[in-house]
Amino acid sequence: MSRLWLSCFLLASAPAFAADPFYWGVGHSAFQVEGSPVESDWTRWTRIPGKIADGSNADRATDFWKRYEEDFDLAKTLGANAFRLSIAWERLEPKKGAWDEDALTHYEKIVLAARARGLEPVVTLHHFVLPAWLVDEGGLESKDFPGLFAAYADRVVRRLSNSPASVKWWVTINEPMVLTHAGYLTGEWPPGRTNDARGAMRAAANMARAHLETVRRARTLGNAALKFSVAAHYRVFQPKTDRIWHRAAAKLSNWAFNWQFLEAVHTGKLRFWMPGSEFIRETIPLPDGRSSLDYVGLNYYGRMITELGFDAPFVKVSEGPGPKNDLGWEMYPEGLSIALKELHDGLGLPIFVTENGVADALDDKRPNFVANHVAALKYAQSEGVNVVGYLHWSLTDNFEWAKGLVSRFGLVEVDYATLEKKPRASFETYRKIIEESRE
Ligand code: BGC
């Protein structure tokens, strides 16, 4: 057991939560739970045979669109005081320029139902899914993407940041680099391109432009309570050995995956590049002359081991040696302390853990997973990192993208045949952690 990890255990019982109130909660995204979807790149993707591992789709998912109160009741029982959810752009603008006001009103109702149960809403504007009409016009790579996104976001922010919903915590774009990777390099997600480095970097740069424009507009509203960030999927990259070339591989991966995007939106200096792409270099004035990030949204799932090889793609990344979850991802709680510390040192902003979770159908790993990650979070706090909240992914099982419905990330089990929901043992573990933190 390393010294850092030992300290985590020792600190696990110390009441180290400085933020007031500290946000304890859960999160999910529209497409993964809502059901009754409107046509999007992902509804199309799920119709293509072979794209979803178990052949399932998200046509019903957990039916959150209609049964949201059930989820908020469960979150209340958990003792949560925050809930992250996302807005489906394709519902609000099913055809270009044609806005569905009823859908926005429905989201307002959803947010108010969360508020009524003491849950602070954290609202994501884009969680991987694009309206079908936009895909037909070039999707993330379209030169119009930043403006179209900002116009959509502006509508949502104006409505939901106002009373009665009064949403303060906003995530513009969820995991831009994961989307870039899965959509343009591995091809597992729409638009299904493989090794398209140029497309990948164009998409990433466009998401940075969209984020900056969204925050610029939001700051003109003059509401100082509003807080914007992206949700950055941060992987801890560690070299296979101490050899300088493996360390260089770790540094390069860290920059490309973790920092390229964050630096762009923090400084307004876009520098997007990867082998095979053009070099995108552009400076966008920062909204109000300061970072567009009011806080950092951190999605933490694990670490990667890097090595430099002699043949393409030269930098190789693989899972670490520790125990794995159902998807073969290493569970590495120490990495959460490392990620928090690196983000704190690099950006100096409050950090909100907007996702952390595990695929574990049997729920024999999740109870420890939650406890160990919370301990790692406390350790980072004891080292001076300002963490404002922790949102477990996810409250219930949901549609896990290309893996389908088989992957189980929920504190609550969902029977997809009956839609019955049953809290797992880890639900109780997390409930106790929350309760004890308040004593
Ligand atoms: C995404 C979620 C996803 C989770 C588990 C994150 O990358 O934001 O949508 O379900 O990881 O894979």
Side-chain angles (χ1 to χ4, degrees), residues 29 32 127-128 174-175 178 233 299 301 329 355 393 398 400-401 409:
S29 83
Q32 294 178 273
H127 199 118
F128 297 153
N174 183 68
E175 299 188 346
V178 170
H233 185 124
N299 292 358
Y301 285 89
W329 305 351
E355 280 183 38
W393 186 275
N398 56 58
E400 178 53 26
W401 308 112
F409 274 87

Coordinates of all heavy atoms in Angstrom, one line a residue, residues 29 32 127-128 174-175 178 233 299 301 329 355 393 398 400-401 409, ligand 1:
S29 N -27.4 11.5 -17.8 CA -27.6 12.3 -18.9 C -28.9 12.0 -19.6 O -29.3 10.8 -19.6 CB -26.4 12.3 -19.9 OG -26.6 11.1 -20.8
Q32 N -29.3 8.8 -21.9 CA -29.1 7.5 -21.3 C -30.3 7.1 -20.4 O -30.3 5.9 -20.0 CB -27.8 7.6 -20.4 CG -26.6 7.8 -21.3 CD -25.3 7.9 -20.4 OE1 -25.0 9.0 -20.1 NE2 -24.7 6.8 -20.2
H127 N -24.5 16.5 -23.8 CA -23.9 15.3 -23.3 C -23.9 14.3 -24.4 O -24.7 13.4 -24.5 CB -24.7 14.7 -22.1 CG -23.9 13.8 -21.2 ND1 -23.6 14.0 -19.9 CD2 -23.3 12.6 -21.5 CE1 -22.9 13.0 -19.4 NE2 -22.7 12.1 -20.4
F128 N -22.9 14.4 -25.3 CA -22.6 13.5 -26.5 C -23.6 13.5 -27.6 O -23.2 13.0 -28.7 CB -22.5 12.1 -26.0 CG -21.4 11.8 -25.0 CD1 -21.4 10.8 -24.1 CD2 -20.2 12.6 -25.0 CE1 -20.4 10.5 -23.2 CE2 -19.2 12.4 -24.1 CZ -19.3 11.3 -23.2
N174 N -20.1 18.0 -22.1 CA -19.5 16.9 -21.3 C -18.4 16.2 -22.1 O -18.6 15.8 -23.3 CB -20.7 15.8 -21.1 CG -20.2 14.7 -20.2 OD1 -19.9 14.8 -19.1 ND2 -20.1 13.5 -20.8
E175 N -17.3 16.0 -21.5 CA -16.2 15.2 -22.0 C -15.9 15.4 -23.5 O -15.9 14.4 -24.3 CB -16.4 13.7 -21.7 CG -16.6 13.4 -20.2 CD -16.7 11.9 -19.9 OE1 -16.9 11.2 -20.8 OE2 -16.5 11.6 -18.7
V178 N -13.4 12.9 -24.9 CA -13.9 11.5 -25.1 C -14.8 11.4 -26.3 O -14.6 10.4 -27.1 CB -14.8 11.1 -23.8 CG1 -15.5 9.7 -24.1 CG2 -13.9 11.0 -22.6
H233 N -13.3 14.8 -18.7 CA -12.9 13.4 -18.3 C -11.4 13.4 -18.1 O -10.6 13.6 -19.1 CB -13.3 12.4 -19.4 CG -13.1 11.0 -19.1 ND1 -14.1 10.1 -19.1 CD2 -12.0 10.3 -18.7 CE1 -13.6 8.9 -18.8 NE2 -12.3 9.0 -18.5
N299 N -14.7 14.6 -14.3 CA -15.2 13.2 -14.4 C -14.0 12.3 -14.3 O -13.1 12.3 -15.1 CB -15.9 12.9 -15.8 CG -17.2 13.7 -16.0 OD1 -17.6 14.5 -15.1 ND2 -17.8 13.6 -17.1
Y301 N -12.6 8.4 -13.8 CA -12.8 6.9 -13.9 C -11.6 6.1 -13.6 O -11.7 4.9 -13.3 CB -13.5 6.6 -15.2 CG -15.0 7.0 -15.2 CD1 -15.3 8.3 -15.7 CD2 -16.0 6.2 -14.8 CE1 -16.6 8.7 -15.6 CE2 -17.3 6.6 -14.7 CZ -17.6 7.8 -15.2 OH -18.9 8.3 -15.1
W329 N -12.1 -1.9 -17.0 CA -11.4 -0.6 -16.6 C -10.8 -0.8 -15.2 O -11.5 -1.3 -14.3 CB -12.3 0.6 -16.5 CG -13.1 0.9 -17.8 CD1 -13.0 0.2 -19.0 CD2 -14.2 1.8 -17.9 NE1 -13.9 0.7 -19.9 CE2 -14.6 1.7 -19.3 CE3 -14.8 2.7 -17.1 CZ2 -15.7 2.4 -19.8 CZ3 -15.9 3.5 -17.6 CH2 -16.3 3.3 -18.9
E355 N -18.6 13.4 -12.1 CA -18.8 12.0 -12.4 C -17.7 11.2 -11.7 O -16.5 11.5 -11.8 CB -18.8 11.7 -13.9 CG -20.1 12.0 -14.6 CD -20.0 11.5 -16.1 OE1 -19.5 10.5 -16.3 OE2 -20.6 12.3 -16.9
W393 N -21.8 8.6 -10.4 CA -22.4 8.2 -11.7 C -22.7 6.7 -11.5 O -21.8 5.9 -11.5 CB -21.4 8.4 -12.8 CG -22.1 8.1 -14.1 CD1 -22.2 6.9 -14.7 CD2 -22.7 9.0 -15.0 NE1 -22.9 7.0 -15.9 CE2 -23.2 8.3 -16.1 CE3 -23.0 10.4 -14.9 CZ2 -23.9 8.9 -17.1 CZ3 -23.7 11.0 -16.0 CH2 -24.2 10.2 -17.1
N398 N -28.4 2.7 -16.5 CA -28.9 3.4 -17.7 C -28.2 3.0 -19.0 O -27.4 2.0 -18.9 CB -28.7 5.0 -17.5 CG -27.2 5.3 -17.2 OD1 -26.3 5.0 -17.9 ND2 -27.0 5.9 -16.0
E400 N -25.7 2.6 -21.5 CA -24.2 2.9 -21.5 C -23.7 3.0 -23.0 O -22.8 2.2 -23.4 CB -23.5 1.9 -20.6 CG -22.0 2.0 -20.5 CD -21.5 3.4 -20.1 OE1 -22.2 4.2 -19.5 OE2 -20.3 3.7 -20.5
W401 N -24.2 3.9 -23.8 CA -23.7 4.1 -25.1 C -23.4 2.8 -25.9 O -24.3 2.0 -25.9 CB -22.4 5.0 -25.0 CG -22.7 6.3 -24.2 CD1 -22.2 6.6 -22.9 CD2 -23.7 7.3 -24.5 NE1 -22.8 7.7 -22.5 CE2 -23.6 8.2 -23.4 CE3 -24.5 7.6 -25.5 CZ2 -24.4 9.4 -23.3 CZ3 -25.3 8.8 -25.5 CH2 -25.2 9.7 -24.4
F409 N -24.2 0.8 -14.1 CA -23.5 1.8 -13.3 C -24.3 2.3 -12.1 O -23.9 3.2 -11.5 CB -23.2 3.0 -14.2 CG -21.9 2.8 -15.0 CD1 -21.8 2.2 -16.2 CD2 -20.7 3.3 -14.5 CE1 -20.6 2.1 -16.9 CE2 -19.5 3.2 -15.2 CZ -19.5 2.6 -16.4
Ligands
BGC1 C1 -19.9 9.7 -19.5 C2 -21.2 8.9 -19.2 C3 -20.9 7.4 -19.2 C4 -19.9 7.1 -18.1 C5 -19.5 5.7 -18.0 C6 -18.7 9.1 -18.9 O1 -17.6 9.1 -19.8 O2 -20.0 11.0 -19.3 O3 -22.1 9.3 -20.1 O4 -22.1 6.7 -18.9 O5 -18.7 7.8 -18.5 O6 -18.9 5.2 -19.1

